[in-house]
Amino acid sequence: MDPYVTLLIENSVGYIEFFHPNRNSMPSGILSKLEQTIHDAGENEAVKVIVLKSGGDRTFCAGASFNEVIAIDTEAKGMQFFSGFANVINAMRKCPKLIIGRVQGKTVGGGVGLAAATDYCLATKYASIRLSELSIGIGPFVIEPAVSRKIGKIAMSQMSIDAETFFSWEFARDKGFYADVFDTAEDLDAAVKSLAEKLASYNPEALAEMKKVFWKGTEDWDTLLAERAAISGRLVLSDFTKNTLKRFR
């Protein structure tokens, strides 16, 4: 199947789904489409609540596209690529609609950042999480603010340092990364649908004001995440990173 980003509106809920055949990895084209789709759903009066999900029944998101990262040959191109994640996170932060995350399986790196940037996240017991960036010579710089905001600096530091470990759904739930966890994808979908449609029946003005409250104190993220993207864009040019990524290609 070809990569895609879609928006399906059902019962006032906007279901945004992204997909890439390589474990839902995120090349720049998908990131750009995802950013725009989130913006469009936020402006669409027919959408009261947004659900962010990925296609397939296994990996939620494998993070950055290794093939595209390997091809980066200047700091400017590196910053541009990692700004894709920054732009999606900022689109989620600024979106006036509440965003529910639906995480059906493992998520790595930038995918952890996307899940962390949702306002409420539900998952299955297969949805372990990993921040692998230090092990490949960079670091989770762009997504750190979103992850730290969700689970705290200490837990974020633990995940960053233990970069080759998948942290369990129990860890993620206990730290507040997931609000609830379900045995199957079917149970997860039923819970997401029920919650999203219930929220969609609430006063949209109240939901929008609560969204502002949730994200108060993040007004500097446009600048902050751009600065973090520049760090990643510089480090990705290192011989260490290039050689490491070639082994995983």
Side-chain angles (χ1 to χ4, degrees), residues 112 116 129 131 140 143-161 167 171-178 221:
V112 177
I129 55 179
L131 296 180
I143 65 171
E144 180 275 324
V147 178
S148 291
R149 172 182 170 273
K150 182 72 75 170
I151 65 174
K153 188 77 73 175
I154 293 175
M156 195 277 170
S157 300
Q158 180 181 352
M159 289 186 65
S160 298
I161 290 170
F167 286 76
F171 174 93
R173 186 188 61 185
D174 291 347
K175 299 300 181 183
F177 192 85
Y178 299 137
W221 278 24

Side-chain angles (χ1 to χ4, degrees), residues 30-178:
I30 290 292
L31 289 167
S32 180
K33 289 180 181 178
L34 185 57
E35 175 197 0
Q36 186 61 51
T37 304
I38 292 168
H39 173 77
D40 291 346
E43 297 295 314
N44 191 330
E45 293 184 359
V47 175
K48 307 302 182 186
V49 175
I50 295 170
V51 171
L52 179 66
K53 58 187 295 189
S54 64
D57 58 3
R58 299 189 69 181
T59 305
F60 171 72
C61 179
S65 168
F66 279 5
N67 288 342
E68 190 166 351
V69 170
I70 290 172
I72 294 171
D73 56 6
T74 67
E75 287 190 26
K77 290 180 181 177
M79 180 178 179
Q80 181 179 12
F81 174 78
F82 288 103
S83 291
F85 285 96
N87 294 338
V88 172
I89 290 172
N90 276 323
M92 296 171 71
R93 174 177 68 88
K94 296 176 183 177
C95 179
K97 314 290 174 62
L98 292 181
I99 301 176
I100 300 170
R102 182 257 191 199
V103 180
Q104 78 279 21
K106 290 182 176 180
T107 188
V108 179
V112 177
L114 297 185
T118 62
D119 298 297
Y120 196 90
C121 198
L122 301 175
T124 71
K125 63 183 181 181
Y126 305 104
S128 55
I129 55 179
R130 184 174 74 180
L131 296 180
S132 58
E133 287 88 343
L134 277 179
S135 69
I136 61 174
I138 51 177
F141 298 106
V142 172
I143 65 171
E144 180 275 324
V147 178
S148 291
R149 172 182 170 273
K150 182 72 75 170
I151 65 174
K153 188 77 73 175
I154 293 175
M156 195 277 170
S157 300
Q158 180 181 352
M159 289 186 65
S160 298
I161 290 170
D162 198 355
E164 297 185 39
T165 294
F166 271 102
F167 286 76
S168 69
W169 65 264
E170 291 99 336
F171 174 93
R173 186 188 61 185
D174 291 347
K175 299 300 181 183
F177 192 85
Y178 299 137

